[in-house]
Amino acid sequence: MKEVKVWFAVGWAALLLSSMISMMAVFMGSGSGDLHGLLVFQLLMVPVTVIAIVFYTVQARAHAAGGSGLALLWAHIPGIMLFAVASAMSMTLIAELSFILISMLTEQPRSWLEHVPSATAAFSSLALAAAYGNLQLTPQPR
């Protein structure tokens, strides 16, 4: 079971990486037609990441013996992982502010799909941190 959890964490990291790359591609002027398949995939993955975050929190609550699942996850997430989440969130904020600035300066409507990589990066970084915390809750084999 632990191997499956590890692969899910790797999947969240891969999704985060793909969303960062597609954010950069959209910002550099690649049209939505070039990235349409990837953007639709990322759009479909946003609810999956939200469900995973809820799942990890519920599982942590079961380990917390009546306490807060979020507090237990927080206690098991190292500082470097929190730094990675904060970096992804700051990239998301910068991307959204850039899209607003570009749309104001060019006065051309932009496709709403261009905002999907930012949301995917935000949620997949949270899912990655929650998956790591959940891995730390799993009892180690002796």
Side-chain angles (χ1 to χ4, degrees), residues 20-61:
M20 293 290 183
I21 291 170
S22 59
M23 251 193 291
M24 182 178 59
V26 167
F27 180 73
M28 296 300 284
S30 179
S32 295
D34 300 339
L35 300 170
H36 184 72
L38 180 60
L39 295 178
V40 169
F41 172 73
Q42 289 175 350
L43 178 65
L44 294 175
M45 289 305 292
V46 168
V48 174
T49 57
V50 171
I51 290 169
I53 292 167
V54 170
F55 174 75
Y56 292 134
T57 305
V58 168
Q59 236 182 4
R61 184 175 173 125

Side-chain angles (χ1 to χ4, degrees), residues 112-128:
W112 64 272
L113 272 176
E114 293 180 356
H115 296 277
V116 170
S118 300
T120 306
F123 287 115
S124 63
S125 67
L126 290 174
L128 176 61

Side-chain angles (χ1 to χ4, degrees), residues 100-108:
I100 291 170
L101 185 63
I102 289 172
S103 65
M104 285 175 47
L105 293 176
T106 60
E107 296 178 1
Q108 294 176 344

